């Protein structure tokens, strides 16, 4: 194994799960996320010699974000229509798992779907900083590096995205309470 590959595997590949999670949140579809991560890792390997003492995770996630943007632009040019998600109403029965407590599992899954739907409804820049901070546990400096915006902008977008998510969650919960009555 050559030296470049060994260094790449040691510095970048430990962040592969984070790259996939980030791509999944950006693209909303597992298949698209797979493609984005594959392209990002190829680009990262090709440009690995350009990484100098920087944060490898932030660097890789910035490449993932750029690959996602490129893929999105290409899809829009081709008028691509995505296939339905696996958790779609038609395919949902196939995803049912046997668990000891089906009621609590259903409640948890419904809340997870609601949260994912509410997060997906946030503007892209707010969703991106929220995912990088809360899911990937990146600090403001790293998020600023990935999103290519000042730290102050990261902080304000994060505050706005949290507030918007909370307000939407409360409206959703209030609507569910009214429906039960």
């Amino acid at each position: 194994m050559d030296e470049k590959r060994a260094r790449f595997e040691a510095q970048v590949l430990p962040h592969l799960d984070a790259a996939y999670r980030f791509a999944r949140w950006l693209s909303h579809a597992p298949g698209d996320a797979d493609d984005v991560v594959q392209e990002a890792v190829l680009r990262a390997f090709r440009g690995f010699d350009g990484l100098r003492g920087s944060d490898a995770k932030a660097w890789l996630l910035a490449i993932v974000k750029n690959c996602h943007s490129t893929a999105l632009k290409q899809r829009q040019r081709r008028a691509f229509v995505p296939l339905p998600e696996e958790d779609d109403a038609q395919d949902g029965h196939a995803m049912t798992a046997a668990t000891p407590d089906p009621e609590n599992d259903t409640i948890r899954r419904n809340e997870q779907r609601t949260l994912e739907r509410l997060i997906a409804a946030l503007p892209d820049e707010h969703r991106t900083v929220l995912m990088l901070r809360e899911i990937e546990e990146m600090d403001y400096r790293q998020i600023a590096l990935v999103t290519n915006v000042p730290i102050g902008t990261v902080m304000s977008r994060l505050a706005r995205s949290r507030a918007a998510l909370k307000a939407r969650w409360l409206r959703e919960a209030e609507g569910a309470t009214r429906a039960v009555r």
Side-chain angles (χ1 to χ4, degrees):
M1 181 182 324
D2 67 337
E3 182 183 330
K4 177 182 176 181
R5 181 175 173 183
R7 286 186 307 113
F8 181 80
E9 288 179 359
Q11 292 178 355
V12 177
L13 289 189
H15 306 296
L16 200 55
D17 288 340
Y20 178 76
R21 283 190 302 269
F22 185 49
R24 178 69 174 90
W25 279 106
L26 289 173
S27 59
H28 307 294
D32 293 343
D34 290 340
D35 294 343
V36 166
V37 171
Q38 183 177 357
E39 179 64 25
V41 170
L42 287 172
R43 285 186 190 180
F45 185 73
R46 288 184 199 126
F48 184 64
D49 291 331
L51 176 65
R52 298 278 186 252
S54 186
D55 184 358
K57 183 177 182 180
W59 178 74
L60 179 60
L61 294 183
I63 294 172
V64 168
K65 181 177 175 283
N66 291 338
C67 287
H68 168 70
S69 296
T70 301
L72 188 62
K73 288 175 189 171
Q74 288 174 348
R75 255 193 315 261
Q76 288 171 344
R77 274 188 249 130
R78 287 187 248 134
F80 176 78
V81 178
L83 294 173
E85 290 289 321
E86 289 180 5
D87 60 355
D88 189 30
Q90 293 176 338
D91 297 329
H93 65 283
M95 303 302 289
T96 304
T99 59
D101 187 1
E103 182 178 5
N104 285 333
D105 188 48
T106 301
I107 291 169
R108 184 194 56 77
R109 283 187 287 145
N110 285 340
E111 288 176 347
Q112 181 68 29
R113 273 185 247 152
T114 299
L115 180 61
E116 288 176 3
R117 183 173 40 79
L118 294 176
I119 289 172
L122 292 173
D124 284 342
E125 60 272 359
H126 291 160
R127 184 177 57 248
T128 299
V129 296
L130 185 66
M131 295 293 72
L132 291 174
R133 178 68 193 122
E134 302 302 335
I135 303 300
E136 299 306 325
E137 299 178 353
M138 297 178 81
D139 61 34
Y140 295 144
R141 182 187 53 77
Q142 293 171 318
I143 296 170
L145 183 63
V146 170
T147 59
N148 197 28
V149 297
I151 290 177
T153 303
V154 169
M155 294 168 69
S156 65
R157 285 182 182 174
L158 188 57
R160 287 186 189 116
S161 65
R162 286 174 175 159
L165 183 60
K166 180 180 179 181
R168 290 172 186 209
W169 184 271
L170 292 175
R171 279 195 304 268
E172 186 84 18
E174 183 178 311
T177 303
R178 287 183 183 159
V180 172
R181 291 181 188 172

